[in-house]
Amino acid sequence: MPQVTIDGRVLEFEGQPRLLQFCLDHGIELPHFCYHPAMSVPANCRQCLVDIGAPMRDRATGEVRTDGEGNPVIRYFPKLQTSCSHVIADGQVIHTARTSEKVERAQQDTMEFLLINHPLDCPICDQAGHCPLQIQAYKYGPEGSRFEFRKVHKPKRVRLGPRVVLDAERCINCTRCVRFTDEISRSHQLTIIERGVKNYPITPPGVEFDEPYSMNVIDVCPVGALTSVDFRFQARIWEMTRTPSIATTHAKGSNCFLWVRDNLVLRITPRPNPEVNEYWLADEDRLCYRQFNEDRPAGPQVRNAAGTLEAVSWEQAISTAASVLEKAGAGAAFVGSARATVEDNWLLIQLAEQTGGQVVGFMEHIEAGHGDGWLRTDERAPNSEGCRRLGMTPVDGTMLRARLEDGTITALYVLEDDVIGLLSAADLQEVSVIVHHYHTTNRTLEVAAAALPAAMSAETIGTYVNLDGYAQRVRPAKVIQGASRTLMMQMGLSRADRHGTPFDRWYNETHYINCKPSWELLPAVAEALGAKVPAGGPRRIMEQISQRCDAFRGVSYKAMGLEGMPLPASIQLEAA
Amino acid sequence: MADFIRNPVVALPESDPEPHFSAVELVFTDGEKDEIARRIKQYPTADGAVMWVLWLAQEKFGFLPPEVLRLVASALDLPYAQVYGVATFYTQYYKGKKGKFVLDVCTCFTCQFCGGYDMLAYLEEKLDIQRGHTTPCGTFTVQEVECLGACGSAPMLQVSNGSYVHNLTRAKVDAMLEALQQGEQLPFVSLTLPQDEDEMGGNRRTDAEASELYQTPPASRATQ
């Protein structure tokens, strides 16, 4: 197998890898700004320079020339090469800044040029703390600046579009954002204008940077030039914890990070997953974070004799729900949801079996024409495929209304969703409704007999199956009131005051939502009924699902890991 | 450039300027379309022809406001942003309305030493405008530009991205302004460097017939 020597370390390679990516894959850090693995290689930041030598060959025979001791004679390229664009070849010898003073010096000088007109306003810059320019200036940059003249001033606070702000002074013209709009999203809304010291990226006159993926340029920007209108000046990076999760606004199940400070989700950024969303995330998936913080219920409620919802204890609410189900018996209808996890929907099915009721289907959230065949889908909930694989079908509103009218349904159990819209409040006047709800804006609350606040995807553990049949896990990013040991362990630490970063100890309890995950609520309701529904946390629930449900064979939390796992294709299942 | 060093501020382009041309005016004629098609064929992809088509548009419309850039983009089936980026890169593409004649006075090193700034100041005084501005009658725009590659005949200026006027003197500037106002076409003048003159037998250019040879040493130095 062909070999290269990098800083004296001999590495084997296959195919024709580019040097920078090859080094990064092998844990050899090289400073770089313009290179992004998903985009073309312009080699314009000049930061990844390395010294490359190739073995000398005899022109006549093609044999590698050797010195007196039998070692190949290495001839170095006359100039340093950009490693991002260099395709490595057998026998090449590469020196990075670690072993070559020349490279170290070149990288320092490049950095000095990049910093000449950079404002160095890190103390007020949103990128500070996770800024490649800042980090690499510390690691590879010069000790100080020799530039003692006026810096070039470029436009600041330019609203490129509804979601992205440009600070042109901070820009180092790596063109990642322009290449993103040209090569990835293909909106062609950005370009670099002017030249030399005056250039910076901007939209052409009369064009707004409003594409549905515009905020990805904020992530690819290696400096603080492009920032989010929404997140600007909201928090410092070191105050927030970052939890891997799944975006819930589309059925694609894009991987994301939830950034939490003081138990509030402050922003959502993409998490690379080559099988699902690569490096990208739709703007809608990011801007939905407020749903985790706002309009959240204060605790369980039960409708009293006066006909209003009254705050009660969890025990009371659960026993009310249980008595409603007991009274209804076979007349209880259960509605699952594409917003709830596979585990919760499965537990709902188990509860229905135990009470003799019937699962009438799951709520799906189709917005026709919304999808674009990429990360945005017509389906606006994360788990309709998971519900289908559990054998549920989308709930049929007409059928359900007919059955409500003829009185065969006397109780309706709604899991983490809102049935008003599919049904009207008038349809549900004669029926006892139990709802697991996320928000106080849930209109089903108007008719609910018992309202049990449920944990959202940012607070629970569970599995979503995206529309391509890819099972992925969500993890708790923030703490809810009375969090169980299962949730705490999943957050990595068992003590609430140890959550968060050293700069954010979460002492403040005002943002702890009084809710419970449905995988605790449903077994509790079953227990109050005297029935037995599998409990013991979502990990064990998933074990049972994989044993009992063909569509989830082989699925386990360990197998899903951070990047998820493909489930067997649904076509095969139907055939079987 | 000197102004920029004193006050290095890059302005934001107007985001939604008033259009200068109506939709009726914004068309390429069939002849121009044929020419564009011919140019596109010269390159592997249509991007190659973008500079040429921008040039054609500038000759047709006088300058390149956003609506003309959109027209160029649609003629080449390229993203408007890309065409805008190319147009702003080159100072020779005029993004704003200019005078009938644009006088690009070189003030780069050689011209500076040989009196480029004197010529620029003389032009400003004579036309009563600041550099970068246009005379009220709309005839002349005076600009300060970087090297135009004619250091051998410094100081020099260029008229509307076309003819060079070499070895400038005050008298020569006066004569040039007079000629331009009379509507005379300035000849394209090419100079051969003194050391090459004997060897090349005059001019090394392939379009030698179209050129007018000057004697060395430059006229300006001879008059001193």
Side-chain angles (χ1 to χ4, degrees), chain A residues 150-153 155 158 188 190-195 197-198 200 202 204-207, chain B residues 4 6 8-17 66 70 79-81 84-85 88-89 91:
Chain A
R150 284 193 67 176
K151 294 195 177 207
V152 174
H153 293 289
V158 184
H188 304 289
L190 290 178
T191 185
I192 300 278
I193 64 160
E194 292 287 347
R195 63 171 163 179
V197 79
K198 296 178 183 175
Y200 59 95
I202 199 167
V207 173
Chain B
F4 185 73
R6 271 195 292 277
V9 176
V10 182
L12 191 68
E14 209 177 327
S15 65
D16 217 355
R70 280 185 196 268
Y80 163 46
Y84 181 68
T88 54
F89 184 88
T91 50

mmCIF file of all heavy atoms in Angstrom, chain A residues 150-153 155 158 188 190-195 197-198 200 202 204-207, chain B residues 4 6 8-17 66 70 79-81 84-85 88-89 91:
data_model
loop_
_atom_site.group_PDB
_atom_site.id
_atom_site.type_symbol
_atom_site.label_atom_id
_atom_site.label_comp_id
_atom_site.label_asym_id
_atom_site.label_seq_id
_atom_site.Cartn_x
_atom_site.Cartn_y
_atom_site.Cartn_z
ATOM 1 N N ARG A 150 -3.879 52.687 10.119
ATOM 2 C CA ARG A 150 -5.333 52.581 10.264
ATOM 3 C C ARG A 150 -5.825 51.329 9.571
ATOM 4 O O ARG A 150 -5.466 51.055 8.431
ATOM 5 C CB ARG A 150 -6.010 53.792 9.622
ATOM 6 C CG ARG A 150 -5.892 55.028 10.451
ATOM 7 C CD ARG A 150 -6.831 56.092 9.941
ATOM 8 N NE ARG A 150 -8.224 55.703 10.135
ATOM 9 C CZ ARG A 150 -9.236 56.497 9.845
ATOM 10 N NH1 ARG A 150 -9.031 57.693 9.334
ATOM 11 N NH2 ARG A 150 -10.472 56.111 10.047
ATOM 12 N N LYS A 151 -6.670 50.594 10.233
ATOM 13 C CA LYS A 151 -7.250 49.406 9.607
ATOM 14 C C LYS A 151 -8.348 49.834 8.653
ATOM 15 O O LYS A 151 -8.975 50.881 8.839
ATOM 16 C CB LYS A 151 -7.839 48.491 10.680
ATOM 17 C CG LYS A 151 -6.772 47.911 11.584
ATOM 18 C CD LYS A 151 -7.292 46.745 12.380
ATOM 19 C CE LYS A 151 -6.155 46.156 13.201
ATOM 20 N NZ LYS A 151 -6.317 44.756 13.491
ATOM 21 N N VAL A 152 -8.579 49.002 7.652
ATOM 22 C CA VAL A 152 -9.654 49.288 6.699
ATOM 23 C C VAL A 152 -10.990 49.061 7.391
ATOM 24 O O VAL A 152 -11.188 48.061 8.074
ATOM 25 C CB VAL A 152 -9.528 48.384 5.458
ATOM 26 C CG1 VAL A 152 -10.709 48.568 4.534
ATOM 27 C CG2 VAL A 152 -8.241 48.701 4.730
ATOM 28 N N HIS A 153 -11.885 50.007 7.218
ATOM 29 C CA HIS A 153 -13.208 49.877 7.814
ATOM 30 C C HIS A 153 -14.213 49.497 6.750
ATOM 31 O O HIS A 153 -14.323 50.152 5.725
ATOM 32 C CB HIS A 153 -13.608 51.165 8.512
ATOM 33 C CG HIS A 153 -12.744 51.434 9.701
ATOM 34 N ND1 HIS A 153 -12.845 50.673 10.845
ATOM 35 C CD2 HIS A 153 -11.746 52.303 9.901
ATOM 36 C CE1 HIS A 153 -11.940 51.097 11.703
ATOM 37 N NE2 HIS A 153 -11.253 52.082 11.152
ATOM 38 N N PRO A 155 -18.324 47.763 5.965
ATOM 39 C CA PRO A 155 -19.665 47.849 6.546
ATOM 40 C C PRO A 155 -19.866 46.858 7.691
ATOM 41 O O PRO A 155 -19.425 45.715 7.625
ATOM 42 C CB PRO A 155 -20.579 47.513 5.368
ATOM 43 C CG PRO A 155 -19.784 47.832 4.176
ATOM 44 C CD PRO A 155 -18.372 47.537 4.517
ATOM 45 N N VAL A 158 -24.629 44.633 8.717
ATOM 46 C CA VAL A 158 -25.406 44.601 7.482
ATOM 47 C C VAL A 158 -26.361 43.426 7.561
ATOM 48 O O VAL A 158 -25.931 42.285 7.735
ATOM 49 C CB VAL A 158 -24.488 44.423 6.248
ATOM 50 C CG1 VAL A 158 -25.304 44.502 4.975
ATOM 51 C CG2 VAL A 158 -23.392 45.454 6.258
ATOM 52 N N HIS A 188 -27.391 30.865 -4.947
ATOM 53 C CA HIS A 188 -26.548 31.877 -5.601
ATOM 54 C C HIS A 188 -26.879 33.278 -5.112
ATOM 55 O O HIS A 188 -26.962 34.214 -5.904
ATOM 56 C CB HIS A 188 -26.703 31.812 -7.117
ATOM 57 C CG HIS A 188 -26.409 30.465 -7.695
ATOM 58 N ND1 HIS A 188 -25.144 29.956 -7.752
ATOM 59 C CD2 HIS A 188 -27.220 29.526 -8.215
ATOM 60 C CE1 HIS A 188 -25.172 28.757 -8.311
ATOM 61 N NE2 HIS A 188 -26.428 28.466 -8.588
ATOM 62 N N LEU A 190 -25.152 34.960 -2.657
ATOM 63 C CA LEU A 190 -24.014 35.701 -2.116
ATOM 64 C C LEU A 190 -22.887 35.747 -3.132
ATOM 65 O O LEU A 190 -22.757 34.857 -3.976
ATOM 66 C CB LEU A 190 -23.491 35.043 -0.842
ATOM 67 C CG LEU A 190 -24.366 35.113 0.406
ATOM 68 C CD1 LEU A 190 -23.690 34.371 1.531
ATOM 69 C CD2 LEU A 190 -24.625 36.546 0.803
ATOM 70 N N THR A 191 -22.082 36.795 -3.040
ATOM 71 C CA THR A 191 -20.886 36.875 -3.872
ATOM 72 C C THR A 191 -19.868 37.731 -3.132
ATOM 73 O O THR A 191 -20.220 38.472 -2.221
ATOM 74 C CB THR A 191 -21.204 37.484 -5.244
ATOM 75 O OG1 THR A 191 -20.030 37.428 -6.050
ATOM 76 C CG2 THR A 191 -21.651 38.926 -5.130
ATOM 77 N N ILE A 192 -18.602 37.580 -3.535
ATOM 78 C CA ILE A 192 -17.574 38.471 -3.000
ATOM 79 C C ILE A 192 -17.506 39.672 -3.930
ATOM 80 O O ILE A 192 -17.398 39.508 -5.147
ATOM 81 C CB ILE A 192 -16.203 37.760 -2.954
ATOM 82 C CG1 ILE A 192 -16.252 36.514 -2.076
ATOM 83 C CG2 ILE A 192 -15.122 38.721 -2.484
ATOM 84 C CD1 ILE A 192 -16.101 36.726 -0.617
ATOM 85 N N ILE A 193 -17.575 40.867 -3.390
ATOM 86 C CA ILE A 193 -17.480 42.035 -4.260
ATOM 87 C C ILE A 193 -16.191 42.806 -3.984
ATOM 88 O O ILE A 193 -15.517 42.584 -2.997
ATOM 89 C CB ILE A 193 -18.690 42.983 -4.131
ATOM 90 C CG1 ILE A 193 -18.755 43.588 -2.727
ATOM 91 C CG2 ILE A 193 -19.964 42.275 -4.497
ATOM 92 C CD1 ILE A 193 -19.588 44.841 -2.677
ATOM 93 N N GLU A 194 -15.928 43.756 -4.897
ATOM 94 C CA GLU A 194 -14.708 44.561 -4.849
ATOM 95 C C GLU A 194 -13.482 43.645 -4.896
ATOM 96 O O GLU A 194 -13.596 42.467 -5.206
ATOM 97 C CB GLU A 194 -14.685 45.445 -3.601
ATOM 98 C CG GLU A 194 -15.732 46.537 -3.621
ATOM 99 C CD GLU A 194 -15.408 47.656 -4.584
ATOM 100 O OE1 GLU A 194 -14.259 47.714 -5.071
ATOM 101 O OE2 GLU A 194 -16.307 48.484 -4.865
ATOM 102 N N ARG A 195 -12.324 44.198 -4.584
ATOM 103 C CA ARG A 195 -11.133 43.355 -4.624
ATOM 104 C C ARG A 195 -10.079 43.860 -3.673
ATOM 105 O O ARG A 195 -10.209 44.947 -3.103
ATOM 106 C CB ARG A 195 -10.567 43.306 -6.039
ATOM 107 C CG ARG A 195 -10.119 44.656 -6.504
ATOM 108 C CD ARG A 195 -9.366 44.516 -7.796
ATOM 109 N NE ARG A 195 -9.279 45.796 -8.464
ATOM 110 C CZ ARG A 195 -8.656 45.957 -9.601
ATOM 111 N NH1 ARG A 195 -8.098 44.942 -10.206
ATOM 112 N NH2 ARG A 195 -8.589 47.149 -10.148
ATOM 113 N N VAL A 197 -8.000 44.740 -0.711
ATOM 114 C CA VAL A 197 -8.267 44.986 0.691
ATOM 115 C C VAL A 197 -9.730 45.369 0.930
ATOM 116 O O VAL A 197 -10.198 45.374 2.047
ATOM 117 C CB VAL A 197 -7.293 46.078 1.182
ATOM 118 C CG1 VAL A 197 -7.763 47.446 0.763
ATOM 119 C CG2 VAL A 197 -7.060 45.992 2.645
ATOM 120 N N LYS A 198 -10.445 45.668 -0.141
ATOM 121 C CA LYS A 198 -11.811 46.145 0.034
ATOM 122 C C LYS A 198 -12.861 45.042 -0.062
ATOM 123 O O LYS A 198 -14.046 45.325 0.048
ATOM 124 C CB LYS A 198 -12.132 47.181 -1.053
ATOM 125 C CG LYS A 198 -11.284 48.433 -0.977
ATOM 126 C CD LYS A 198 -11.642 49.352 -2.127
ATOM 127 C CE LYS A 198 -10.767 50.579 -2.119
ATOM 128 N NZ LYS A 198 -11.016 51.423 -3.279
ATOM 129 N N TYR A 200 -15.394 41.852 0.329
ATOM 130 C CA TYR A 200 -16.183 41.186 1.357
ATOM 131 C C TYR A 200 -17.407 40.559 0.696
ATOM 132 O O TYR A 200 -17.782 40.935 -0.398
ATOM 133 C CB TYR A 200 -16.587 42.162 2.462
ATOM 134 C CG TYR A 200 -17.395 43.340 2.000
ATOM 135 C CD1 TYR A 200 -18.779 43.310 2.062
ATOM 136 C CD2 TYR A 200 -16.795 44.492 1.511
ATOM 137 C CE1 TYR A 200 -19.535 44.385 1.646
ATOM 138 C CE2 TYR A 200 -17.534 45.564 1.094
ATOM 139 C CZ TYR A 200 -18.908 45.513 1.168
ATOM 140 O OH TYR A 200 -19.648 46.567 0.751
ATOM 141 N N ILE A 202 -21.336 39.740 0.045
ATOM 142 C CA ILE A 202 -22.619 40.421 0.235
ATOM 143 C C ILE A 202 -23.565 39.941 -0.859
ATOM 144 O O ILE A 202 -23.152 39.291 -1.819
ATOM 145 C CB ILE A 202 -22.437 41.955 0.197
ATOM 146 C CG1 ILE A 202 -23.625 42.649 0.837
ATOM 147 C CG2 ILE A 202 -22.188 42.432 -1.207
ATOM 148 C CD1 ILE A 202 -23.406 44.095 1.132
ATOM 149 N N PRO A 204 -26.012 40.730 -4.045
ATOM 150 C CA PRO A 204 -26.058 41.806 -5.027
ATOM 151 C C PRO A 204 -27.263 42.726 -4.757
ATOM 152 O O PRO A 204 -28.184 42.330 -4.054
ATOM 153 C CB PRO A 204 -26.200 41.065 -6.358
ATOM 154 C CG PRO A 204 -26.665 39.707 -6.020
ATOM 155 C CD PRO A 204 -26.228 39.414 -4.638
ATOM 156 N N PRO A 205 -27.244 43.949 -5.298
ATOM 157 C CA PRO A 205 -28.334 44.884 -5.013
ATOM 158 C C PRO A 205 -29.691 44.296 -5.370
ATOM 159 O O PRO A 205 -29.855 43.670 -6.421
ATOM 160 C CB PRO A 205 -28.018 46.080 -5.907
ATOM 161 C CG PRO A 205 -26.583 45.977 -6.194
ATOM 162 C CD PRO A 205 -26.239 44.535 -6.177
ATOM 163 N N GLY A 206 -30.657 44.490 -4.494
ATOM 164 C CA GLY A 206 -32.014 44.035 -4.762
ATOM 165 C C GLY A 206 -32.253 42.582 -4.407
ATOM 166 O O GLY A 206 -33.342 42.070 -4.615
ATOM 167 N N VAL A 207 -31.239 41.912 -3.877
ATOM 168 C CA VAL A 207 -31.410 40.505 -3.513
ATOM 169 C C VAL A 207 -31.311 40.388 -1.999
ATOM 170 O O VAL A 207 -30.442 40.990 -1.372
ATOM 171 C CB VAL A 207 -30.338 39.613 -4.177
ATOM 172 C CG1 VAL A 207 -30.417 38.192 -3.662
ATOM 173 C CG2 VAL A 207 -30.496 39.636 -5.679
ATOM 174 N N PHE B 4 -7.756 56.569 -0.063
ATOM 175 C CA PHE B 4 -8.172 55.398 0.692
ATOM 176 C C PHE B 4 -7.222 55.138 1.849
ATOM 177 O O PHE B 4 -7.641 54.691 2.913
ATOM 178 C CB PHE B 4 -8.235 54.184 -0.239
ATOM 179 C CG PHE B 4 -8.772 52.960 0.428
ATOM 180 C CD1 PHE B 4 -10.119 52.860 0.732
ATOM 181 C CD2 PHE B 4 -7.927 51.927 0.777
ATOM 182 C CE1 PHE B 4 -10.613 51.741 1.367
ATOM 183 C CE2 PHE B 4 -8.415 50.804 1.411
ATOM 184 C CZ PHE B 4 -9.760 50.711 1.701
ATOM 185 N N ARG B 6 -5.588 57.450 3.475
ATOM 186 C CA ARG B 6 -5.887 58.441 4.505
ATOM 187 C C ARG B 6 -7.180 58.103 5.241
ATOM 188 O O ARG B 6 -7.299 58.289 6.437
ATOM 189 C CB ARG B 6 -6.007 59.831 3.870
ATOM 190 C CG ARG B 6 -4.669 60.559 3.805
ATOM 191 C CD ARG B 6 -4.882 62.010 3.531
ATOM 192 N NE ARG B 6 -5.409 62.254 2.191
ATOM 193 C CZ ARG B 6 -4.677 62.321 1.089
ATOM 194 N NH1 ARG B 6 -3.379 62.178 1.161
ATOM 195 N NH2 ARG B 6 -5.220 62.570 -0.078
ATOM 196 N N PRO B 8 -9.446 54.925 5.173
ATOM 197 C CA PRO B 8 -9.733 53.604 4.591
ATOM 198 C C PRO B 8 -11.131 53.085 4.966
ATOM 199 O O PRO B 8 -11.283 52.226 5.817
ATOM 200 C CB PRO B 8 -8.641 52.719 5.183
ATOM 201 C CG PRO B 8 -8.287 53.364 6.473
ATOM 202 C CD PRO B 8 -8.568 54.815 6.353
ATOM 203 N N VAL B 9 -12.125 53.643 4.344
ATOM 204 C CA VAL B 9 -13.490 53.212 4.633
ATOM 205 C C VAL B 9 -14.110 52.667 3.356
ATOM 206 O O VAL B 9 -14.104 53.325 2.324
ATOM 207 C CB VAL B 9 -14.335 54.383 5.169
ATOM 208 C CG1 VAL B 9 -15.784 53.939 5.362
ATOM 209 C CG2 VAL B 9 -13.755 54.877 6.474
ATOM 210 N N VAL B 10 -14.599 51.446 3.430
ATOM 211 C CA VAL B 10 -15.279 50.833 2.294
ATOM 212 C C VAL B 10 -16.778 51.026 2.490
ATOM 213 O O VAL B 10 -17.330 50.614 3.512
ATOM 214 C CB VAL B 10 -14.951 49.328 2.198
ATOM 215 C CG1 VAL B 10 -15.628 48.718 0.990
ATOM 216 C CG2 VAL B 10 -13.459 49.121 2.139
ATOM 217 N N ALA B 11 -17.416 51.674 1.535
ATOM 218 C CA ALA B 11 -18.841 51.957 1.682
ATOM 219 C C ALA B 11 -19.666 50.755 1.259
ATOM 220 O O ALA B 11 -19.247 49.936 0.446
ATOM 221 C CB ALA B 11 -19.212 53.167 0.859
ATOM 222 N N LEU B 12 -20.839 50.667 1.825
ATOM 223 C CA LEU B 12 -21.780 49.614 1.435
ATOM 224 C C LEU B 12 -22.474 50.050 0.156
ATOM 225 O O LEU B 12 -22.937 51.181 0.058
ATOM 226 C CB LEU B 12 -22.806 49.445 2.550
ATOM 227 C CG LEU B 12 -23.737 48.241 2.476
ATOM 228 C CD1 LEU B 12 -22.952 46.974 2.683
ATOM 229 C CD2 LEU B 12 -24.816 48.382 3.531
ATOM 230 N N PRO B 13 -22.540 49.172 -0.857
ATOM 231 C CA PRO B 13 -23.264 49.584 -2.060
ATOM 232 C C PRO B 13 -24.752 49.740 -1.754
ATOM 233 O O PRO B 13 -25.278 49.113 -0.847
ATOM 234 C CB PRO B 13 -23.026 48.426 -3.039
ATOM 235 C CG PRO B 13 -22.633 47.272 -2.200
ATOM 236 C CD PRO B 13 -22.007 47.818 -0.956
ATOM 237 N N GLU B 14 -25.377 50.620 -2.521
ATOM 238 C CA GLU B 14 -26.798 50.851 -2.309
ATOM 239 C C GLU B 14 -27.542 49.539 -2.550
ATOM 240 O O GLU B 14 -27.322 48.875 -3.565
ATOM 241 C CB GLU B 14 -27.270 51.912 -3.298
ATOM 242 C CG GLU B 14 -28.421 52.719 -2.790
ATOM 243 C CD GLU B 14 -28.794 53.805 -3.794
ATOM 244 O OE1 GLU B 14 -27.891 54.311 -4.477
ATOM 245 O OE2 GLU B 14 -29.975 54.113 -3.890
ATOM 246 N N SER B 15 -28.396 49.178 -1.626
ATOM 247 C CA SER B 15 -28.978 47.826 -1.722
ATOM 248 C C SER B 15 -30.101 47.757 -2.752
ATOM 249 O O SER B 15 -30.303 46.738 -3.384
ATOM 250 C CB SER B 15 -29.490 47.378 -0.368
ATOM 251 O OG SER B 15 -30.546 48.204 0.028
ATOM 252 N N ASP B 16 -30.831 48.830 -2.928
ATOM 253 C CA ASP B 16 -31.907 48.777 -3.913
ATOM 254 C C ASP B 16 -32.021 50.109 -4.658
ATOM 255 O O ASP B 16 -32.937 50.894 -4.416
ATOM 256 C CB ASP B 16 -33.226 48.425 -3.221
ATOM 257 C CG ASP B 16 -34.064 47.519 -4.095
ATOM 258 O OD1 ASP B 16 -33.646 47.266 -5.237
ATOM 259 O OD2 ASP B 16 -35.122 47.078 -3.636
ATOM 260 N N PRO B 17 -31.053 50.374 -5.548
ATOM 261 C CA PRO B 17 -31.064 51.678 -6.211
ATOM 262 C C PRO B 17 -32.203 51.803 -7.230
ATOM 263 O O PRO B 17 -32.721 50.805 -7.721
ATOM 264 C CB PRO B 17 -29.705 51.720 -6.907
ATOM 265 C CG PRO B 17 -29.322 50.305 -7.090
ATOM 266 C CD PRO B 17 -29.983 49.510 -6.015
ATOM 267 N N PRO B 66 -27.383 47.754 -11.599
ATOM 268 C CA PRO B 66 -27.840 46.375 -11.318
ATOM 269 C C PRO B 66 -28.759 45.799 -12.385
ATOM 270 O O PRO B 66 -28.647 44.612 -12.711
ATOM 271 C CB PRO B 66 -28.582 46.526 -9.987
ATOM 272 C CG PRO B 66 -27.920 47.660 -9.326
ATOM 273 C CD PRO B 66 -27.515 48.611 -10.415
ATOM 274 N N ARG B 70 -28.260 42.266 -14.332
ATOM 275 C CA ARG B 70 -29.261 41.192 -14.408
ATOM 276 C C ARG B 70 -29.471 40.751 -15.855
ATOM 277 O O ARG B 70 -29.633 39.564 -16.139
ATOM 278 C CB ARG B 70 -30.601 41.670 -13.832
ATOM 279 C CG ARG B 70 -30.659 41.636 -12.318
ATOM 280 C CD ARG B 70 -32.055 42.004 -11.862
ATOM 281 N NE ARG B 70 -32.105 42.358 -10.459
ATOM 282 C CZ ARG B 70 -32.364 41.495 -9.480
ATOM 283 N NH1 ARG B 70 -32.585 40.238 -9.760
ATOM 284 N NH2 ARG B 70 -32.406 41.896 -8.234
ATOM 285 N N PRO B 79 -25.671 33.018 -12.487
ATOM 286 C CA PRO B 79 -26.251 33.702 -11.329
ATOM 287 C C PRO B 79 -25.923 35.196 -11.362
ATOM 288 O O PRO B 79 -24.786 35.582 -11.651
ATOM 289 C CB PRO B 79 -25.578 33.035 -10.139
ATOM 290 C CG PRO B 79 -24.996 31.784 -10.639
ATOM 291 C CD PRO B 79 -24.724 31.970 -12.094
ATOM 292 N N TYR B 80 -26.941 35.986 -11.032
ATOM 293 C CA TYR B 80 -26.766 37.441 -10.990
ATOM 294 C C TYR B 80 -25.651 37.824 -10.016
ATOM 295 O O TYR B 80 -24.835 38.713 -10.288
ATOM 296 C CB TYR B 80 -28.124 38.043 -10.597
ATOM 297 C CG TYR B 80 -28.149 39.453 -10.117
ATOM 298 C CD1 TYR B 80 -27.463 40.469 -10.785
ATOM 299 C CD2 TYR B 80 -28.920 39.799 -9.011
ATOM 300 C CE1 TYR B 80 -27.531 41.778 -10.341
ATOM 301 C CE2 TYR B 80 -28.995 41.102 -8.567
ATOM 302 C CZ TYR B 80 -28.291 42.088 -9.214
ATOM 303 O OH TYR B 80 -28.356 43.361 -8.770
ATOM 304 N N ALA B 81 -25.584 37.120 -8.880
ATOM 305 C CA ALA B 81 -24.567 37.440 -7.879
ATOM 306 C C ALA B 81 -23.162 37.279 -8.453
ATOM 307 O O ALA B 81 -22.270 38.075 -8.166
ATOM 308 C CB ALA B 81 -24.734 36.544 -6.656
ATOM 309 N N TYR B 84 -22.394 40.147 -10.703
ATOM 310 C CA TYR B 84 -22.170 41.341 -9.875
ATOM 311 C C TYR B 84 -20.773 41.311 -9.258
ATOM 312 O O TYR B 84 -20.075 42.330 -9.226
ATOM 313 C CB TYR B 84 -23.240 41.383 -8.781
ATOM 314 C CG TYR B 84 -23.136 42.574 -7.868
ATOM 315 C CD1 TYR B 84 -23.388 43.862 -8.337
ATOM 316 C CD2 TYR B 84 -22.782 42.419 -6.533
ATOM 317 C CE1 TYR B 84 -23.280 44.940 -7.497
ATOM 318 C CE2 TYR B 84 -22.682 43.501 -5.679
ATOM 319 C CZ TYR B 84 -22.928 44.759 -6.171
ATOM 320 O OH TYR B 84 -22.809 45.839 -5.342
ATOM 321 N N GLY B 85 -20.364 40.129 -8.810
ATOM 322 C CA GLY B 85 -19.028 39.997 -8.234
ATOM 323 C C GLY B 85 -17.942 40.328 -9.242
ATOM 324 O O GLY B 85 -16.984 41.033 -8.929
ATOM 325 N N THR B 88 -17.900 44.174 -10.010
ATOM 326 C CA THR B 88 -17.318 45.030 -8.976
ATOM 327 C C THR B 88 -15.825 44.805 -8.830
ATOM 328 O O THR B 88 -15.129 45.672 -8.319
ATOM 329 C CB THR B 88 -17.979 44.787 -7.600
ATOM 330 O OG1 THR B 88 -17.892 43.400 -7.301
ATOM 331 C CG2 THR B 88 -19.422 45.236 -7.595
ATOM 332 N N PHE B 89 -15.333 43.658 -9.302
ATOM 333 C CA PHE B 89 -13.907 43.376 -9.151
ATOM 334 C C PHE B 89 -13.076 44.341 -9.996
ATOM 335 O O PHE B 89 -12.048 44.844 -9.566
ATOM 336 C CB PHE B 89 -13.616 41.932 -9.565
ATOM 337 C CG PHE B 89 -12.193 41.512 -9.363
ATOM 338 C CD1 PHE B 89 -11.791 40.979 -8.163
ATOM 339 C CD2 PHE B 89 -11.259 41.662 -10.372
ATOM 340 C CE1 PHE B 89 -10.482 40.606 -7.963
ATOM 341 C CE2 PHE B 89 -9.941 41.288 -10.184
ATOM 342 C CZ PHE B 89 -9.551 40.757 -8.965
ATOM 343 N N THR B 91 -12.232 47.766 -11.887
ATOM 344 C CA THR B 91 -12.592 49.192 -11.872
ATOM 345 C C THR B 91 -12.955 49.682 -13.267
ATOM 346 O O THR B 91 -13.594 50.715 -13.410
ATOM 347 C CB THR B 91 -11.423 50.030 -11.332
ATOM 348 O OG1 THR B 91 -10.243 49.646 -12.044
ATOM 349 C CG2 THR B 91 -11.226 49.802 -9.857
#
